[in-house]
Amino acid sequence: APRRAAPRCAALRRSSPRRMLPDEAPVEARLASIAEMDDRKAKLERYQDALRQSFEAGRVEELQQMIHHWLGEDVPLVVSRQLFQTLAEFLQDMQLLEEDATRAARAALAERMLEALQPRVISFEEQVALLRESLAKLYSFEGKYSKAASTLAGIDLDSGTRGAHSAYYKLRKCVDIAMLYLEDDDPVCAETFLRKASTFLNQPDHKDAALELQYNVCYARILDSKRRFLEAALKYYELSQVAVSSGAAARVAAEDLEQALSAAATCAILAGAGPQRSRILAMLYKDERCAALEVYSLLRKVYLDRILTQPEIDAFAARLAPHQKALLPNGFTVLNRAVIEHNLLSASKLYKNIDFAELGALLGISRELAEKVAAGMVEDDRLRASIDQVEGVVYFQADEEELTRWDLQVQEVCHAVNSILEDMARKQIPVAAPSGGPPSDRARHS
């Protein structure tokens, strides 16, 4: 009898449904089963195992159900914080995923998680910050710079809980946000966060030369974007100088230093003509490193007050950023205004006076615009001239300071030559003299 009963039992086992393993049960049942556990450590481990399995399998719907369950009353806050921290860490480096579909799915999950945590952001501040950083990296990777910046800006740096973080962390986040806004040509928002970063810059709890260098680069770019070209040129030039002598130089590539120097030269050329611009141009022209720049030939002509030709202007315009070619309220572009003012200043070195019709032809603008530009530069004390509106003539005035300096240099040379000749005469050193008297007489007449 026992032998006949055995097959019947085997048949019953085959016909009965297979018992579902705990990890294969529906996610709601698994989560409910874990929630009933009393041991907090074991509960956390089981939750993390379920999270890992669903995440590696790419089951987004299950992960969304888990997010909703963790925020329920059945899960203690200390456990849910750790679970959200683990999921946020899993979602890091999403931009490194090669498959667009997988990257998009995980980004949607991160956005859903951020939306779910927002009503309880005070309880999950660390996890929300990590999640926002991960999403910002992804948006930046996809070229959505403003969206990345606004995502990072959602981190509350001023809250009491967040106050435990160092000034270095706050400085780094503010600089990152400003740089992202600059990538989308939004200097207004960038300046807002850079001002905020400046309050953390001089705190004693951070010593990061590279971060301070990034802050200064950001500041220079803001000045450039807001078309404050004189200040931008000085800041770019300062960056190219400071980086050479600072400890961060080892981490700064040579092409970055050359780019900063090139940006300084470009901003100096675009700046409004006047004494300040001339000083900056002189400083750049005398820097030996500028000779290797692509813009050096134009920089040299601008420094020497030579009139610029249209082919040179077109070649220079091809390498400018959009904000450097923007249309101004007066109808000129940034580049056109700079060229017209420069050529007008160059003309003042060539002419004693010129009527507005000829000046307009020289500058490539109308007679009325030529008069308006000249009057504006005279009013701003950037051009030494007087205007006769009745005759329609502008009279250029010589730069007395420059002439005085030239006279002093000639006088010094004459004194030096005279001193040499007298010294040679005392030592009875013969001097081959042309007709006109002995050397001593010429020396005395000098």
Side-chain angles (χ1 to χ4, degrees):
R3 291 176 183 174
R4 286 194 296 272
R8 186 179 53 155
C9 293
L12 287 174
R13 285 196 297 270
R14 285 195 298 270
S15 62
S16 62
R18 183 174 64 88
R19 184 179 179 182
M20 189 172 290
L21 297 176
D23 291 339
E24 297 173 344
V27 64
E28 298 93 341
R30 280 188 286 159
L31 294 175
S33 174
I34 297 172
E36 295 175 356
M37 298 176 62
D38 295 328
D39 188 342
R40 182 175 294 177
K41 183 178 180 181
K43 179 186 291 189
L44 177 61
E45 291 177 355
R46 289 289 303 278
Y47 274 131
Q48 288 182 330
D49 288 341
L51 168 61
R52 187 174 296 103
Q53 291 173 8
S54 297
F55 187 84
E56 291 176 353
R59 295 192 285 264
V60 177
E61 293 183 1
E62 291 185 3
L63 293 170
Q64 291 181 351
Q65 291 177 332
M66 289 182 184
I67 291 171
H68 179 73
H69 174 78
W70 295 339
L71 291 172
E73 297 180 356
D74 296 334
V75 183
L77 181 61
V78 66
V79 174
S80 59
R81 275 179 178 167
Q82 185 58 50
L83 292 171
F84 280 116
Q85 181 76 18
T86 302
L87 180 54
E89 291 173 355
F90 284 168
L91 290 171
Q92 282 185 315
D93 300 325
M94 288 183 287
Q95 71 275 15
L96 300 180
L97 296 171
E98 295 182 0
E99 297 181 4
D100 294 340
T102 304
R103 188 168 60 244
R106 293 192 181 181
L109 176 63
E111 292 170 349
R112 174 68 183 88
M113 179 177 166
L114 190 61
E115 181 182 350
L117 289 176
Q118 198 60 38
R120 300 179 60 183
V121 65
I122 297 178
S123 301
F124 298 95
E125 201 161 4
E126 297 289 337
Q127 293 74 28
V128 167
L130 182 60
L131 195 60
R132 286 185 175 277
E133 290 171 2
S134 300
L135 275 172
K137 285 183 181 178
L138 174 63
Y139 294 148
S140 177
F141 175 78
E142 294 178 344
K144 303 173 183 177
Y145 299 111
S146 291
K147 191 173 183 180
S150 60
T151 301
L152 271 186
I155 300 175
D156 190 0
L157 300 176
D158 300 323
S159 69
T161 306
R162 206 66 188 168
H165 285 269
S166 65
Y168 170 77
Y169 177 87
K170 298 176 182 180
L171 172 62
R172 182 161 55 87
K173 290 302 153 202
C174 288
V175 171
D176 288 344
I177 294 169
M179 293 294 285
L180 286 168
Y181 275 124
L182 282 176
E183 291 298 322
D184 262 353
D185 291 327
D186 190 349
V188 176
C189 290
E191 187 175 18
T192 299
F193 283 92
L194 199 70
R195 287 179 183 274
K196 192 172 184 179
S198 65
T199 61
F200 310 118
L201 190 62
N202 297 320
Q203 297 293 329
D205 64 341
H206 78 88
K207 298 292 181 182
D208 192 337
L211 182 58
E212 291 186 14
L213 182 63
Q214 188 179 14
Y215 170 88
N216 288 322
V217 169
C218 189
Y219 182 51
R221 289 184 60 187
I222 288 174
L223 293 173
D224 189 353
S225 297
K226 296 183 74 174
R227 299 194 287 275
R228 293 160 59 180
F229 293 119
L230 282 175
E231 298 171 73
L234 285 172
K235 198 64 182 178
Y236 279 129
Y237 187 70
E238 179 185 337
L239 283 170
S240 70
Q241 294 280 36
V242 170
V244 172
S245 58
S246 69
R251 300 189 294 272
V252 179
E255 53 267 24
D256 292 334
L257 302 181
E258 183 178 339
Q259 184 178 1
L261 191 63
S262 178
T266 299
C267 289
I269 294 171
L270 291 174
Q276 288 184 324
R277 176 180 183 248
S278 299
R279 285 192 287 269
I280 296 173
L281 289 170
M283 179 175 59
L284 289 166
Y285 181 73
K286 294 174 183 177
D287 193 320
E288 296 179 354
R289 299 174 298 161
C290 288
L293 300 178
E294 293 182 6
V295 74
Y296 178 73
S297 59
L298 188 65
L299 175 68
R300 183 172 182 272
K301 289 196 69 173
V302 173
Y303 168 71
L304 296 175
D305 291 326
R306 295 178 181 173
I307 293 178
L308 304 179
T309 62
Q310 193 59 45
E312 294 170 327
I313 297 169
D314 293 339
F316 180 64
R319 61 188 307 276
L320 295 179
H323 71 272
Q324 295 172 333
K325 296 184 288 187
L327 188 66
L328 300 175
N330 58 10
F332 295 129
T333 65
V334 173
L335 178 59
N336 287 342
R337 181 198 62 182
V339 171
I340 289 171
E341 291 185 354
H342 167 78
N343 285 345
L344 176 54
L345 198 62
S346 300
S348 70
K349 311 292 183 182
L350 300 174
Y351 297 92
K352 289 185 177 181
N353 58 74
I354 186 172
D355 64 61
F356 289 124
E358 292 185 12
L359 181 61
L362 180 65
L363 301 179
I365 56 178
S366 67
R367 178 187 186 282
E368 292 75 18
L369 278 178
E371 180 179 358
K372 186 176 180 180
V373 172
M377 293 182 66
V378 171
E379 183 180 1
D380 295 339
D381 200 24
R382 294 185 290 131
L383 176 67
R384 294 180 178 275
S386 60
I387 297 175
D388 187 338
Q389 290 184 310
V390 176
E391 298 293 334
V393 177
V394 56
Y395 295 90
F396 299 114
Q397 300 171 3
D399 191 337
E400 296 179 1
E401 182 180 348
E402 184 177 349
L403 291 176
T404 303
R405 187 168 56 251
W406 173 260
D407 289 341
L408 288 174
Q409 291 174 347
V410 172
Q411 186 177 2
E412 289 176 0
V413 171
C414 290
H415 284 312
V417 173
N418 195 40
S419 177
I420 292 172
L421 292 173
E422 288 180 351
D423 197 26
M424 293 174 67
R426 283 195 302 270
K427 295 179 180 179
Q428 297 182 349
I429 299 176
V431 178
S435 59
S440 59
D441 291 339
R442 288 200 310 278
R444 281 193 292 270
H445 292 313
S446 299

